[in-house]
Amino acid sequence: MFDIAWSTIKNRKGGFIAAFIAVICGSAVITACGVLFMSGVLSGVAPERYAGATVMVGGQQSKEVKENFDPHFAERATVPASLADKVARVDGVKKVVGDHTVEMALQKDDGSARGAPVELDHPLYGHGWSSTALGPFELAEGNRPGSAGETVLDAGLARKAGLKVGDTARLSVGTTAHAYRIVGLVDAPNGLDRQSAAFFTDSRAAELSQRPDRLTAIGVLGEDGADGLADKVKEAVAGSGGVVYTGDDVGDLEFLDIGESRGFLIPLSASFGGTALAVVIFVVSSTLGLVIHQRRRELAMLRAIAATPRQVHRLIGSEVLLVGVTGAVLGAAPGFLVAGLLRDAFAGVGVLPEDFELSFNPLPAVAAVLLTVLGARLAGFIAAFRIAKIQPVEALSESQVEKDELGKGRKATGVGLILLGLVAAIVLPLVIPGELAVAGAGGALVVLMVGSALIGPILVRAATRLMTPLLKRSRVSGFLASANSAANARRLSSAVVPLALGAAMALMQLSMLNTVETTAKEQAATGVVSDYVLTSDTTGLSTDLAEKVRAVDGVETATPVARSQAMLTYIEIDKPNTKPFSAQGLDPRGLDRTLDLDVREGSLDQLRGDTVALSWIAADTARLKVGDTADMNLGDGVSKKLKVVAVYGNGLGFGDVTLPHDMLTAHTANQQDAALLVSTAGGGAQQRVGAELDKLAAATPGLTVQNPEEFGAVQQGQFAQQSWTNLIANALLMLYVLIAVVNTLVMATTGRSREFAMLRLIGTSKRQTRRMMFMESWIVVVTAIVVGVAIAIPPAVGSALGLTGQPIPHVQPLAWGGVVLFVALLGWLSISLPTRSALRGRPIDAVYAGE
Amino acid sequence: MRLDNVTKTYGKGDNAVTALRGISLEVPRGTFTAVMGPSGSGKSTFLHCVAGLDRPTTGHVHLGDTELSGLKEAALTAIRRERIGYVFQAYNLMSALTVKQNVTLVARLADMAVDEAWLREVLARVGMSEHVGRRPNQLSGGQQQRVAIARALVTRPDALLADEPTGALDTRTSQEVLGLFRQIVDEMGQTVLMVTHDPVAASYADAVLFLADGQLAGQLNRPTPAQVAERMTHLGNW
């Protein structure tokens, strides 16, 4: 069977090249997803400060979720300081070091109280001197810090900042700065590539961390020849919440962003890979469908003389297998490049660390080849199904002209799917709001797409009928175009479907992005009702700043806003699910003067102790009402049962979870505020307070005074990042659909060269033929755009309902116009260019060429 | 080859179209029979029923000892492969395959060994020995039809059925193809049943059966083209 298949492929290069290109691109996309997935699983960064430790003990940094990816905690999970003593008693341990890590900023003395900030490429962390044993760091110059006012810098940092032993360095935690005398410089054994370090006396480091009772990590140095130390330590820390790290994993403990990248990459690449595979099957089967359509006569003849349906399947299957395997193998190599591009794009947006390295190994390529070939085989089966099933006589007669009517089953399925899609898109968000509804609305797009693909020919015919009066104005070309389209609705529909799919995906994505961004912006703009907003351009605001500001004359309310992330665990349908939400910590005192969260139920006054307020999206997602108990994990993973005291509307602008301020900050690494909202007593107080705040800012490192409007813009950044991530992932799919569109249209047009030749021989001019095709391309483009817009709207409305509670998606006319224009241009070019090329030769040659 | 009271109705109820109304006849082994009739007389349906491509609504079709009307699709496919050779008006060949590959296609699909000597003889008889490596688009219409006949013959079928085999050919090429049919009946003892509307083509046959409105409307033995044409003119009023 393979030799027949091979001859067929060689003989019908044009048709198969389209499927071939589709498979190559599909394989590349799936390989790229595989590489990202593997990188999420495998890649890591070598430890720097902990490089010399035998074993490290740190906190549990992710939540274990059954049958799903374990979500990572946003903040560092710390361990109790008392655990260090327990570890020290383990047999074979030479030394135990408790490490306090404090994020800091460096200013140089410029005579002002604020100091001149030193821009560093990497974060700067302060530690206790004893932790140098874990590097081990070598003292390059000077001495160890002997008192609270002394520090030792890593040599690289000192060089960068232009500081030397004997100088004074101003190091700040949040907005609190201290001057330290530099008494020495240290070198790390392998250098510090991802961080800078400053060392203090152990007691000073503990003090700076504000949590002397908690440790970032515990380092263990083993005695020479001590075997199985890791297991023994594991035994010792069992039940305490401590996790033992050895070897390459130590890098994950030292650099939380690596673990976070994994938590980001693994679910993203898995879901994206799955979608890509579905699109590959869809595109390849529609491309193959066209090839098979073009040779149905031949296949009908085969059935009539001798072939069983199974043999027709086998023949087409063999062709697909040849095309599939070759294409999949060829596509795998560029897939690694695509993965690299995606990495760069994600790093550019900031969701991956700049130095995140992909781990390249052949496994993703092997998996992609297998999946793509399987997908193509399935696509071939779908495409061959009809031609193989029908009776040979039917095949013979049917092959002459297109069968007019679609099968009843097909029509019913198509209409059924469209109805189902509408229900999923619009009714679902009304019945079960929350995140599930938004996801459902997205999925509805695919259902709607498949449904319209099934009844595509009917849609094309309807569109043709509507456009015929317009077309008839041109007596020759228009007449031919409308007759062709009406008679070959099926062929036209296979060109319309991918074009509509591309348009719908793009429009739906744009609308969701836009709705989220616009709503968040609106909420942030209307929600901040204070007169001033204080923020920091370093790590954050120290929590004591609020008291300082409250003491300023004329200040009525100062509301500190801390930010972090919190996880909500709830029963979704029938099994527990855990989802991270952005969280803010608020002090409810005088809140109505500074922040309007649009409280719908309950009251934020109650927000103290073990309580929480939720946005309505979060509340609906977890099915919680005021008075219920929420099962939450705070930023560092600590589990809490919190009573819901309020449900509010402005979740997109401010975060979906609002916790009492002190509870939230206690479970963040920096224990700082993101902003301080300041309202004044009114009257002349506003100017006076403004001047006072400016004075404060001049004396405080990193502090900036903003208007509430400017603060809104800051909020934007976080949403933009998430939206960009989606856009990058989907852009790749869009590109793939695009290739499929061009493929299909070019192939459909090229397949008609004999018809063009015949038209020319009976006296149609080249110009008339071109005009005819131009009009046909309009039928294709207009139908595709109408269908695309029509099926993009219900999911857009549904997701708007789910996200904002309003059924009106935000539409950027310019962006939608751009998409429509692009689709039109693409469809038109893919038809008109091959038409030109098909018309180039002598018509008489084309008529006698081949079948 | 024998048909007993075969009827064929398409569709149901008011839309029902009856293509064959109670046809009974026998085609003797080793003869060349032509079936003629105006358009819509049911001659294609008749041929499809004989070939097992279509099932009669009532009645029986026998090929030798085998009753076709009761067989399942897979068994019918096997019959078509092994015992019937079929030549269409056009599009007989797979454009991707060479002449030789096309001729041996059925054997390949049936997973049978190809009798090389017989293959050479068949190709020689249809006069295509020189062109075994060519592809259909390098052949003339007459040559393509001869390849199709070779493919139909190579399995040594009980009967060779041809549906308007000269419909797409010019007069001269038609004569060559019809002569070839005559030759394989006379020299190889092959049974040939041909549907045509061309009186000249029909005159090559031993017997001509006339179909009109789904019924047998007479028979001519050893006819001349003029006799056939004469009969056809009257069929319209029959």
Side-chain angles (χ1 to χ4, degrees):
Chain A
M1 206 50 97
F2 275 106
D3 49 345
I4 302 186
W6 178 232
S7 313
T8 311
I9 292 169
K10 272 197 304 192
N11 202 44
R12 288 182 174 271
K13 285 192 202 83
F16 283 101
I17 263 180
F20 187 59
I21 292 173
V23 170
I24 290 185
C25 300
S27 164
V29 172
I30 296 175
T31 306
C33 294
V35 172
L36 292 183
F37 188 87
M38 288 301 277
S39 304
V41 175
L42 290 180
S43 64
V45 175
E48 296 177 351
R49 281 194 317 107
Y50 298 155
T54 321
V55 173
M56 292 295 302
V57 178
Q60 172 75 41
Q61 204 59 56
S62 61
K63 184 178 172 75
E64 276 179 39
V65 178
K66 269 183 205 149
E67 296 168 32
N68 213 333
F69 303 109
D70 294 353
H72 277 250
F73 300 129
E75 309 280 347
R76 180 173 293 280
T78 52
V79 292
S82 58
L83 196 61
D85 301 335
K86 227 189 224 176
V87 175
R89 285 196 292 274
V90 172
D91 190 29
V93 169
K94 191 166 77 183
K95 190 178 178 184
V96 163
V97 179
D99 181 30
H100 288 285
T101 296
V102 188
E103 191 170 4
M104 305 186 91
L106 175 66
Q107 292 93 30
K108 276 171 90 172
D109 230 336
D110 64 348
S112 75
R114 187 183 166 93
V118 177
E119 293 284 336
L120 297 173
D121 301 334
H122 303 291
L124 163 64
Y125 294 107
H127 313 274
W129 175 257
S130 63
S131 73
T132 51
L134 300 174
F137 288 81
E138 301 278 348
L139 204 52
E141 212 185 321
N143 301 304
R144 50 183 292 177
S147 71
E150 290 179 351
T151 186
V152 169
L153 301 183
D154 84 73
L157 172 65
R159 209 175 311 126
K160 178 105 209 269
L163 294 167
K164 54 187 189 304
V165 173
D167 286 353
T168 301
R170 289 162 51 89
L171 289 160
S172 64
V173 178
T175 45
T176 314
H178 285 283
Y180 299 90
R181 202 163 66 83
I182 302 168
V183 294
L185 299 177
V186 284
D187 279 324
N190 309 316
L192 295 179
D193 291 331
R194 309 193 81 232
Q195 61 186 330
S196 296
F199 295 94
F200 305 91
T201 60
D202 286 353
S203 57
R204 179 64 184 157
E207 202 180 317
L208 286 172
S209 79
Q210 302 174 68
R211 293 295 301 271
D213 58 324
R214 307 290 300 181
L215 292 172
T216 305
I218 298 167
V220 181
L221 297 173
E223 280 169 0
D224 289 343
D227 285 339
L229 194 59
D231 289 335
K232 284 184 212 161
V233 174
K234 207 176 275 177
E235 226 169 273
V237 303
S240 68
V243 176
V244 172
Y245 296 81
T246 52
D248 293 341
D249 290 345
V250 173
D252 278 15
L253 174 68
E254 188 174 340
F255 305 110
L256 281 193
D257 56 346
I258 297 300
E260 241 170 79
S261 310
R262 294 180 179 196
F264 160 75
L265 278 181
I266 293 175
L268 178 90
S269 52
S271 83
F272 180 46
T275 316
L277 187 62
V279 174
V280 168
I281 294 175
F282 194 74
V283 166
V284 173
S285 76
S286 85
T287 320
L288 277 175
L290 206 58
V291 187
I292 288 172
H293 190 93
Q294 286 175 358
R295 46 193 285 238
R296 358 175 42 180
R297 255 200 296 239
E298 190 172 282
L299 292 169
M301 183 272 291
L302 262 186
R303 278 285 284 121
I305 61 165
T308 57
R310 185 196 290 255
Q311 280 176 323
V312 172
H313 266 303
R314 269 194 19 221
L315 176 64
I316 293 170
S318 313
E319 291 164 10
V320 172
L321 217 56
L322 283 171
V323 171
V325 170
T326 328
V329 169
L330 284 179
F336 288 96
L337 285 178
V338 175
L341 291 176
L342 280 176
R343 190 219 76 96
D344 293 349
F346 285 136
V349 189
V351 287
L352 282 186
E354 273 300 334
D355 61 347
F356 187 86
E357 283 191 22
L358 295 176
S359 71
F360 291 107
N361 70 39
L363 208 63
V366 174
V369 168
L370 280 177
L371 283 174
T372 315
V373 169
L374 270 176
R377 188 71 185 76
L378 182 64
F381 186 81
I382 296 169
F385 190 69
R386 187 183 176 85
I387 192 86
K389 195 187 65 177
I390 53 177
Q391 295 286 321
V393 175
E394 278 177 68
L396 279 173
S397 54
E398 197 184 10
S399 55
Q400 310 296 325
V401 268
E402 270 196 13
K403 203 176 162 188
D404 242 21
E405 278 298 303
L406 294 181
K408 270 206 190 100
R410 176 168 170 177
K411 251 193 282 189
T413 318
V415 173
L417 284 177
I418 289 178
L419 290 177
L420 183 77
L422 285 176
V423 169
I426 308 227
V427 183
L428 226 54
L430 289 172
V431 187
I432 45 156
E435 303 248 340
L436 202 61
V438 179
L445 182 70
V446 180
V447 178
L448 285 171
M449 194 63 238
V450 176
S452 358
L454 286 175
I455 59 160
I458 297 178
L459 298 175
V460 170
R461 222 168 278 145
T464 311
R465 212 171 304 133
L466 283 176
M467 290 174 74
T468 299
L470 272 176
L471 296 173
K472 283 275 168 68
R473 285 196 197 163
S474 152
R475 249 174 32 83
V476 179
S477 318
F479 162 75
L480 286 173
S482 116
N484 275 335
S485 310
N488 296 299
R490 254 171 219 249
R491 183 180 64 200
L492 232 54
S493 140
S494 62
V496 165
V497 166
L499 208 55
L501 176 69
M505 270 173 70
L507 293 178
M508 158 83 189
Q509 281 296 324
L510 276 175
S511 135
M512 242 167 111
L513 215 152
N514 242 297
T515 306
V516 170
E517 281 194 345
T518 317
T519 314
K521 210 179 196 166
E522 276 171 12
Q523 290 183 358
T526 55
V528 178
V529 295
S530 66
D531 297 315
Y532 296 102
V533 176
L534 300 187
T535 57
S536 161
D537 51 24
T538 62
T539 56
L541 306 170
S542 299
T543 44
D544 59 357
L545 196 70
E547 282 313 316
K548 267 189 218 165
V549 171
R550 282 181 189 131
V552 172
D553 184 34
V555 169
E556 193 190 55
T557 310
T559 305
V561 180
R563 299 200 166 281
S564 180
Q565 204 182 60
M567 284 179 198
L568 201 50
T569 300
Y570 54 93
I571 303 293
E572 188 178 81
I573 304 168
D574 59 346
K575 58 177 202 246
N577 190 19
T578 298
K579 230 182 130 56
F581 288 95
S582 55
Q584 60 175 352
L586 293 180
D587 184 341
R589 283 178 293 167
L591 192 63
D592 55 331
R593 297 281 295 122
T594 50
L595 193 60
D596 175 15
L597 287 183
D598 180 20
V599 175
R600 308 243 168 117
E601 271 173 76
S603 162
L604 289 172
D605 295 342
Q606 313 291 313
L607 195 66
R608 43 179 59 99
D610 278 354
T611 60
V612 64
L614 297 173
S615 75
W616 67 272
I617 295 179
D620 283 343
T621 303
R623 305 211 159 214
L624 292 169
K625 295 188 299 294
V626 170
D628 290 350
T629 303
D631 180 2
M632 308 207 67
N633 289 88
L634 302 183
D636 60 357
V638 169
S639 168
K640 292 253 185 198
K641 302 270 187 230
L642 303 176
K643 196 176 140 209
V644 180
V645 293
V647 172
Y648 55 91
N650 288 349
L652 285 177
F654 296 97
D656 290 308
V657 171
T658 300
L659 294 163
H661 179 261
D662 293 351
M663 185 202 291
L664 184 115
T665 49
H667 296 279
T668 60
N670 290 334
Q671 298 157 70
Q672 289 159 5
D673 291 324
L676 196 57
L677 310 179
V678 182
S679 70
T680 59
Q686 187 167 345
Q687 261 69 39
R688 209 168 62 240
V689 170
E692 282 296 318
L693 291 179
D694 283 339
K695 221 188 282 173
L696 182 66
T700 313
L703 190 67
T704 43
V705 182
Q706 293 179 315
N707 291 320
E709 299 81 53
E710 290 171 285
F711 184 58
V714 176
Q715 296 275 334
Q716 271 301 98
Q718 300 172 2
F719 292 107
Q721 201 176 56
Q722 207 183 1
S723 311
W724 274 111
T725 310
N726 287 337
L727 211 64
I728 291 168
N730 283 302
L732 200 64
L733 273 190
M734 228 83 96
L735 207 67
Y736 182 60
V737 170
L738 229 140
I739 292 167
V741 169
V742 174
N743 250 335
T744 312
L745 288 178
V746 168
M747 199 167 75
T749 310
T750 315
R752 292 172 65 182
S753 51
R754 277 192 81 195
E755 181 191 324
F756 297 156
M758 190 270 292
L759 279 173
R760 296 225 9 239
L761 285 181
I762 61 168
T764 325
S765 73
K766 267 193 188 187
R767 221 181 119 256
Q768 282 170 324
T769 317
R770 273 206 304 270
R771 269 181 63 84
M772 169 189 92
M773 288 308 286
F774 176 72
M775 292 182 193
E776 280 197 50
S777 75
W778 269 106
I779 295 178
V780 169
V781 164
V782 170
T783 318
I785 289 172
V786 169
V787 171
V789 170
I791 62 177
I793 286 175
V797 169
S799 61
L801 264 176
L803 289 166
T804 66
Q806 299 294 318
I808 302 144
H810 285 267
V811 170
Q812 268 186 334
L814 214 63
W816 279 56
V819 170
V820 166
L821 202 70
F822 183 70
V823 166
L825 200 68
L826 189 78
W828 174 66
L829 280 179
S830 319
I831 292 177
S832 73
L833 292 181
T835 305
R836 262 166 204 279
S837 120
L839 287 173
R840 202 164 291 145
R842 287 199 314 154
I844 196 77
D845 296 335
V847 164
Y848 285 113
E851 184 202 77
Chain B
M1 211 181 304
R2 206 175 76 234
L3 279 74
D4 287 335
N5 200 21
V6 168
T7 63
K8 177 72 194 178
T9 311
Y10 293 103
K12 277 184 187 131
D14 292 343
N15 296 326
V17 178
T18 306
L20 298 178
R21 307 169 189 271
I23 294 198
S24 300
L25 61 85
E26 196 168 339
V27 179
R29 198 175 279 273
T31 61
F32 184 0
T33 308
V35 177
M36 288 203 73
S39 294
S41 60
K43 49 187 198 303
S44 282
T45 309
F46 166 76
L47 201 67
H48 289 158
C49 285
V50 174
L53 283 168
D54 213 343
R55 280 167 231 259
T57 313
T58 62
H60 304 282
V61 179
H62 292 272
L63 185 66
D65 302 329
T66 319
E67 145 93 86
L68 297 188
S69 32
L71 295 178
K72 290 224 160 66
E73 181 53 37
L76 281 178
T77 305
I79 295 270
R80 287 205 296 274
R81 255 181 207 164
E82 289 153 25
R83 299 179 55 188
I84 292 172
Y86 207 107
V87 178
F88 301 95
Q89 179 175 0
Y91 308 114
N92 271 300
L93 308 176
M94 280 191 68
S95 52
L97 304 183
T98 62
V99 166
K100 187 173 172 186
Q101 284 170 328
N102 261 297
V103 171
T104 54
L105 183 61
V106 178
R108 193 194 294 259
L109 288 169
D111 212 7
M112 296 186 299
V114 176
D115 180 346
E116 287 290 336
W118 177 240
L119 174 67
R120 271 197 301 279
E121 192 188 330
V122 167
L123 282 172
R125 274 195 186 272
V126 300
M128 294 301 295
S129 304
E130 315 277 287
H131 308 300
V132 284
R134 295 209 186 171
R135 288 184 201 284
N137 59 12
Q138 297 165 310
L139 301 176
S140 72
Q143 285 174 321
Q144 290 190 23
Q145 237 18 9
R146 285 199 247 164
V147 175
I149 293 166
R151 186 192 62 208
L153 284 177
V154 82
T155 56
R156 302 179 203 262
D158 291 346
L160 195 154
L161 309 181
D163 190 358
E164 304 269 14
T166 58
L169 301 180
D170 61 53
T171 324
R172 199 194 155 87
T173 330
S174 294
Q175 282 173 5
E176 284 175 26
V177 170
L178 291 163
L180 186 57
F181 278 130
R182 191 67 253 174
Q183 195 190 340
I184 57 180
V185 173
D186 293 343
E187 294 174 15
M188 296 160 66
Q190 186 58 258
T191 312
V192 174
L193 182 63
M194 171 179 77
V195 161
T196 181
H197 61 259
D198 176 9
V200 180
S203 70
Y204 279 78
D206 298 319
V208 182
L209 303 172
F210 293 93
L211 270 184
D213 205 15
Q215 284 171 311
L216 267 183
Q219 180 170 358
L220 274 178
N221 290 330
R222 304 259 155 217
T224 64
Q227 285 173 316
V228 178
E230 157 81 18
R231 198 58 172 275
M232 280 292 284
T233 7
H234 292 300
L235 268 185
N237 317 326
W238 221 68

